Amino acid sequence: MFAKETYIRRREELKKKVKSGIILLMGNGEAPLNYPDNTYSFRQDSSFLYFAGLDTPDLYCVIDVDNNNEFLFGNELTIDDIVWMGNLPSLKERSESVGLNRVLPVSELSGTIAAALKSGKVVHYLKPYRHRNQIILGELLNKNTAEILAGCSLELTKAVIDLRLIKEDCELAEMESAGEIGYLMHLTAMKMCQQGIAEREIAGIIEGIAVSKGNRVSFTTILSQNGQTLHNHNHDGILQRGRLMLTDAGAENVNYYASDFTRTVAVGGQYSPKQIDIHNIVLQAINTAIDLIRPGIPYRDIHREAYRIIFDGLKDLGLTKGNTEDALANGAPALFMPHGLGHALGLDTHDMEDLGETLVGYDDEIQRSTLFGYKSLRFGKKLKERHVITVEPGIYFIPQLIEKWKQEKINTDFIHFDKLENYYNFGGIRLEDDVIVTKEGSMLVYPKRLPITIEEIVETIKG
Ligand code: GLY
């Protein structure tokens, strides 16, 4: 948690952006895993954390913009809570620590909202991504779920995105700490990447690092020799000599900020010439992309430059052909990298995806493409100082996708389909770093870069 002035200032800024009405920020509740008392580890809603800082369940923050009033709705601890959970600080004490000085029981929330509606005020809320919050909002506003989802406030959503995208110094410090945990996770995975070790064992150990040094992993760990499957959460494999292990993982630190790194390494540090060639193209793509990052440049354009490097690099290997500009215009590199170059990072790994990925990553000037590959770029708009963004190019050989394009004669002018069969067992390589946009360019969120060249990786694994 930050100093109370941080939350007070953020709410003041929010009030300037949302001109009138009532803002209702919904905290999360506990979510049962397999029976009510056995819950998933509690995670507060990120926008609630950003504006109200409190990380316990069943809290609601109401900001009355018209009357410049702020309320926290939540229930004070009971003797039962203290018996089961200990002598915790009271809700009143905790709410004062974030500058929310008026605390009311949850039972009074519906009356407050009803009174606001009756007096003709707009109730602004963010799109609820949890069913529990959809139901509560439905009851508060007397609407069905479809109406609740459609009725979220665009004005509030845009205001929250504007504020949360620009990271404050205190947030960057938290992100650095999340980066440090992520660094340790990946270094451990690399060192463990030896023939005969179970993927599950490595995944479990690095997830343990996230839990022991922070809250949890920042998203479900991707760790597999089948790196061609972009979000592969299966860890059933045993590491085999000659294969690559792709690890895409990160940590959420104790103050809920995320890191997200990817490295792909050869089992035992024993690279084949083919693996070295592909690795070096992806390395060139990530380094060029990071070099291009600066305020004012659309991230869409950097994604395109990464595609250029990938396409040209594969052309040098005889796997692609033809005019590069035409290939880029037709989306040919997407066969090898069907995902976007990166996404905003912050309290969420895909920062604010719950508010609408296109609202976060695009605007009137830079519109989202519908072309395969380009359409998966989560963040395309112009970069600004203090944006934090992931940079994660990759090259994958997905046999089913290659066969589909071949049969449907997609981009045949640009792809040597006959040569690709030699790569059907290759897997995929992705490299990912987390970057802050600075005044003049960029810097890594966690200043120590994970081993990334073949030499650095081999030294790490063999050392
Ligand atoms: N690194 C996981 C993701 O971006 O979805």
Side-chain angles (χ1 to χ4, degrees):
M1 227 172 70
F2 301 123
K4 90 161 113 173
E5 290 71 28
T6 300
Y7 300 104
I8 294 171
R9 175 178 41 74
R10 288 173 179 175
R11 292 192 298 269
E12 287 305 316
E13 284 170 16
L14 190 63
K15 277 185 263 183
K16 283 187 213 144
K17 287 177 180 283
V18 177
K19 298 281 180 289
S20 62
I22 296 258
I23 298 169
L24 169 59
L25 296 169
M26 309 269 297
N28 279 334
E30 295 279 18
L33 175 62
N34 54 340
Y35 56 91
D37 252 8
N38 193 32
T39 55
Y40 288 99
S41 129
F42 177 71
R43 176 54 155 83
Q44 185 58 285
D45 173 77
S46 296
S47 292
F48 189 91
L49 277 175
Y50 185 84
F51 291 104
L54 301 176
D55 59 359
T56 51
D58 305 321
L59 299 174
Y60 308 85
C61 178
V62 170
I63 302 172
D64 182 341
V65 180
D66 304 331
N67 297 309
N68 197 20
N69 273 337
E70 298 174 343
F71 304 90
L72 182 75
F73 288 85
N75 293 333
E76 197 46 271
L77 294 170
T78 64
I79 188 64
D80 274 356
D81 294 328
I82 291 165
V83 167
W84 287 91
M85 296 185 302
N87 191 18
L88 303 169
S90 68
L91 183 59
K92 187 161 181 349
E93 286 169 300
R94 293 195 308 121
S95 64
E96 281 170 3
S97 73
V98 293
L100 286 166
N101 299 325
R102 295 181 189 85
V103 183
L104 295 167
V106 173
S107 57
E108 292 192 23
L109 179 62
S110 64
T112 303
I113 298 297
L117 290 173
K118 203 166 165 204
S119 64
K121 287 183 196 288
V122 175
V123 176
H124 298 273
Y125 60 89
L126 301 171
K127 196 176 206 166
Y129 53 93
R130 286 201 183 181
H131 292 130
R132 166 205 182 262
N133 284 2
Q134 292 168 10
I135 293 166
I136 293 172
L137 271 171
E139 284 167 1
L140 289 173
L141 301 174
N142 199 21
K143 289 184 177 164
N144 66 34
T145 304
E147 290 166 337
I148 285 296
L149 293 176
C152 63
S153 165
L154 189 60
E155 188 181 358
L156 175 63
T157 304
K158 286 186 167 175
V160 171
I161 291 171
D162 274 0
L163 291 171
R164 282 184 55 191
L165 267 183
I166 305 296
K167 300 294 184 283
E168 300 163 8
D169 284 344
C170 60
E171 296 185 281
L172 293 176
E174 296 300 330
M175 295 191 74
E176 185 175 335
S177 107
E180 183 175 8
I181 308 170
Y183 180 93
L184 273 176
M185 292 163 72
H186 278 269
L187 212 61
T188 303
M190 261 184 220
K191 289 179 179 169
M192 290 184 72
C193 183
Q194 306 291 345
Q195 186 177 7
I197 305 281
E199 293 169 352
R200 178 181 301 281
E201 188 178 338
I202 305 177
I205 286 187
I206 67 171
E207 292 192 354
I209 294 173
V211 175
S212 66
K213 297 194 177 291
N215 288 334
R216 54 180 74 80
V217 290
S218 49
F219 58 94
T220 309
T221 299
I222 297 161
L223 187 150
S224 174
Q225 292 163 105
N226 288 309
Q228 77 282 4
T229 303
L230 302 181
H231 278 180
N232 195 341
H233 299 141
N234 180 299
H235 313 305
D236 283 346
I238 304 292
L239 297 186
Q240 309 287 335
R241 174 184 282 219
R243 304 224 36 204
L244 296 163
M245 179 181 84
L246 185 151
T247 307
D248 182 346
E252 180 185 285
N253 85 331
V254 289
N255 277 323
Y256 305 99
Y257 283 84
S259 59
D260 177 6
F261 299 118
T262 307
R263 288 294 185 266
T264 311
V265 303
V267 174
Q270 288 172 314
Y271 277 90
S272 70
K274 250 186 196 171
Q275 290 167 343
I276 292 173
D277 285 342
I278 301 295
H279 182 100
N280 284 334
I281 299 171
V282 181
L283 179 61
Q284 193 192 343
I286 189 171
N287 285 342
T288 305
I290 292 175
D291 282 349
L292 285 170
I293 288 175
R294 61 177 189 278
I297 186 167
Y299 204 49
R300 174 201 61 192
D301 294 359
I302 303 184
H303 171 97
R304 195 181 158 93
E305 286 312 300
Y307 265 179
R308 180 192 305 284
I309 287 165
I310 287 167
F311 187 80
D312 283 345
L314 294 174
K315 205 192 287 184
D316 291 342
L317 298 181
L319 303 182
T320 59
K321 59 184 175 177
N323 177 280
T324 301
E325 286 309 323
D326 293 344
L328 291 175
N330 285 284
L335 178 62
F336 306 100
M337 180 176 134
H339 62 73
L341 183 63
H343 50 81
L345 183 72
L347 280 163
D348 310 304
T349 300
H350 295 172
D351 211 20
M352 295 174 275
E353 191 187 281
D354 57 309
L355 305 184
E357 198 177 72
T358 302
L359 283 173
V360 175
Y362 293 86
D363 53 21
D364 292 342
E365 191 184 355
I366 311 281
Q367 310 264 319
R368 194 165 189 151
S369 170
T370 53
L371 200 59
F372 182 70
Y374 291 101
K375 74 176 180 188
S376 296
L377 177 62
R378 300 180 197 277
F379 195 97
K381 67 188 182 189
K382 280 185 178 163
L383 296 173
K384 288 188 181 164
E385 193 180 344
R386 291 179 180 274
H387 280 173
V388 176
I389 195 101
T390 67
V391 188
E392 46 182 310
I395 294 180
Y396 314 87
F397 296 91
I398 307 169
Q400 298 85 343
L401 182 63
I402 297 169
E403 286 295 318
K404 179 175 159 57
W405 277 34
K406 188 171 158 183
Q407 274 158 27
E408 295 177 11
K409 302 196 184 326
I410 297 171
N411 279 321
T412 47
D413 289 345
F414 307 111
I415 314 282
H416 278 301
F417 286 103
D418 52 322
K419 305 267 173 58
L420 293 180
E421 278 171 30
N422 294 331
Y423 287 79
Y424 280 8
N425 292 323
F426 184 94
I429 293 181
R430 175 160 72 251
L431 299 171
E432 176 179 16
D433 285 324
D434 302 340
V435 165
I436 306 166
V437 183
T438 61
K439 205 176 188 130
E440 262 108 39
S442 72
M443 61 188 272
L444 296 178
V445 173
Y446 180 59
K448 233 158 128 180
R449 197 181 198 190
L450 278 162
I452 195 161
T453 64
I454 298 277
E455 296 72 26
E456 289 164 353
I457 291 170
V458 169
E459 196 185 318
T460 306
I461 295 176
K462 293 198 168 166

